[in-house]
Amino acid sequence: MQDVVQKFKLKAEEKHIEIISNLEDELPFVNADIALVERALENLIENAIRFTPIDGTITIKLALKEDILTQISDTGPGIPQEELPHIFKRFYRADLSRKGSEGHSGLGLAITQKIIELHQRTIHVKSSPGAGTSFTFSLPVFHRA
């Protein structure tokens, strides 16, 4: 997670967006394809930066529950409730008038959802206009055989 956040530090700083990482100490390894998980995290953080206004905040949390729980939240404009059931569909772009949505294919969230599903998990979104958006998913903990 720290490596992925580092990739986006400069882009966030250019928009005066603060990235807050709340990572529990000494989390166990996950049983996952790390390259795919990095791609999912990159998609979520890139979207958060794209839709978070100047001087906004992105909060990233990792915590140990039964699995490793991952949450990426932003202080962006939020997604209207009627759009939420569609955001993981390929090529779907919620409200094309949203600032920053031009020039993007609408594949990032579909890819992210597929990556999480490949790990036998689901991704959830909570959002409301004016209150930001939060994506949450878990990954299995690696257990030695």
Side-chain angles (χ1 to χ4, degrees), residues 20-80:
I20 300 169
S21 296
N22 294 324
L23 313 178
E24 284 186 11
D25 292 333
E26 300 190 30
L27 290 169
F29 290 104
V30 294
N31 186 15
D33 182 316
I34 297 305
L36 289 177
V37 171
E38 283 182 2
R39 174 77 186 269
L41 293 170
E42 289 169 356
N43 289 342
L44 293 172
I45 293 171
E46 186 171 32
N47 279 351
I49 291 171
R50 184 178 309 125
F51 293 110
T52 298
I54 292 174
D55 296 323
T57 304
I58 297 169
T59 304
I60 300 168
K61 297 179 184 178
L62 285 180
L64 178 61
K65 303 297 179 191
E66 280 185 36
D67 289 339
I68 301 295
L69 186 66
T70 304
Q71 184 177 58
I72 299 173
S73 305
D74 65 49
T75 57
I79 302 167

Side-chain angles (χ1 to χ4, degrees), residues 44 70-74 78-81 83-88 98 109 113 122-128 132-137:
L44 293 172
T70 304
Q71 184 177 58
I72 299 173
S73 305
D74 65 49
I79 302 167
Q81 293 299 308
E83 302 279 347
L84 289 176
H86 309 288
I87 64 168
F88 293 108
R98 284 176 56 173
L109 290 177
Q113 181 182 45
T122 56
I123 184 167
H124 305 278
V125 60
K126 282 186 178 180
S127 187
S128 55
T133 302
S134 181
F135 289 90
T136 305
F137 64 91

